[in-house]
Amino acid sequence: MEEWRAAVAVAQWWCFNVAVIVMNKWIFQKLDFTFPLSVSCVHFICSAVGSGIAIRVLKVKPLIQVNGHDRWTRIFPMSFVFCINIVLGNVSLRYIPVSFMQTIKSFTPATTVFLQWLVWRKSFDQRIWWSLVPIVGGILLTSVTELSFNVFGFCAAFFGCLATSTKTILAETLLHGYKFDSINTVYYMAPFATMILAAPALLLEGPGVLNWVQTHDAIYSSLFIIFSSGIFAFCLNFSIFYVIHSTTAVTFNVAGNMKVAVAIMVSWLIFRNPISILNAIGCAITLLGCTFYGYVRHKLSQSQSQDAAVGKFVDNSLRMSGKLEMLPLVNDKK
């Protein structure tokens, strides 16, 4: 029963992820709606409404109370980085194929470790650094052999990785003390992200969106696809919560890398972007490197937990031996 529930959780996570990526690429390429800020804003609005319904109406998860000061000093900075991450991802989809964009996004573990080491002065085991070698090598091979390479799209995807890493690191520090799940995270961050992005979207893309609405054919079906991508984006966040609670850490890591492979395959079947043999090999090396990195992190985490347990046992044993030494022996003569 548990295996079936985990399989269903992973399958629906894959479906929502592929749907969001393919629909966004379809919006930019087929519908000629070349406005990534507006698409991101639609995603944030749908996520804000969806998470509000899930928590306030359906009671899927209890609302985690956050005071006003923490909302602005903790949630707002994360929302700003979260906003940059989503926008850069959509910008990269406009200029480069899904396969290339997804491969670059797999660079996130390396950027996370590098930022923690460079900015936060955190030290890592040598095995962590060695596990990043195939990821970096695969990215370099994929970038050099990409037939549809675009500098602007590559930079957007790369800086999106940095934004994702920054958001992950900030979550560890700013959300300390709050046990946020993905639904509560979206509930608090999506309204802030909408507020941050609304003004730039109106100023930079407002006239273009208005002209697109007036001149585009099949406007209602196109708007339906755009808002459906926002609904699927919220469902993707909801599915992540379900997967985390239904699988182990190792399964989640492997399933995440397989998800990237599925997204690349489906997008290639739909958009038929050219992929060379070396490019495919580079992508495969990157995904295998991400899986190996997750395995190394898991093993190190297990060994640290075991060391902590042994240390606690030894400490308790020493305390008990000290107490026993202080107890008088039964047959001891004065």
Side-chain angles (χ1 to χ4, degrees), residues 307-323:
D307 291 343
V310 171
K312 186 176 180 180
F313 174 76
V314 172
D315 185 54
N316 290 335
S317 300
L318 290 173
R319 289 179 181 177
M320 289 301 296
S321 63
K323 291 179 180 179

Side-chain angles (χ1 to χ4, degrees), residues 61 122 128 212 218 247 250 283 292 310:
K61 290 291 293 182
K122 185 176 180 180
I128 291 292
W212 179 86
T247 61
V250 175
C283 178
F292 180 60
V310 171

Side-chain angles (χ1 to χ4, degrees), residues 181-287:
D181 52 74
S182 61
I183 303 300
N184 273 277
T185 302
V186 174
Y187 177 84
Y188 281 106
M189 289 203 303
F192 274 132
T194 304
M195 180 180 67
I196 293 168
L197 194 58
L202 286 173
L203 291 174
L204 298 175
E205 297 180 350
V209 172
L210 184 61
N211 180 66
W212 179 86
V213 170
Q214 294 173 345
T215 59
H216 188 73
D217 296 331
I219 185 66
Y220 293 109
S221 60
S222 298
L223 289 175
F224 175 79
I225 293 174
I226 293 171
F227 279 94
S228 295
S229 70
I231 296 172
F232 278 113
F234 164 71
C235 292
L236 175 60
N237 287 294
F238 189 86
S239 66
I240 292 173
F241 159 75
Y242 186 40
V243 170
I244 290 174
H245 284 74
S246 302
T247 61
T248 63
V250 175
T251 304
F252 182 75
N253 174 59
V254 175
N257 294 311
M258 289 295 294
K259 169 182 64 69
V260 174
V262 171
I264 291 174
M265 181 61 66
V266 173
S267 66
W268 180 80
L269 291 173
I270 295 175
F271 299 104
R272 293 291 180 176
N273 56 286
I275 300 177
S276 66
I277 298 297
L278 287 176
N279 188 266
I281 293 173
C283 178
I285 292 173
T286 303
L287 295 180

Side-chain angles (χ1 to χ4, degrees), residues 141-161:
L141 179 59
T142 305
S143 301
V144 170
T145 58
E146 175 58 46
L147 300 177
S148 304
F149 184 85
N150 179 279
V151 175
F152 192 70
F154 172 82
C155 291
F158 177 75
F159 285 110
C161 288

Side-chain angles (χ1 to χ4, degrees), residues 21-29 93 96-98 271:
I21 294 172
V22 170
M23 289 179 75
N24 286 351
K25 187 64 177 180
W26 187 276
I27 289 168
F28 295 131
Q29 185 170 320
L93 274 177
I96 59 177
V98 173
F271 299 104

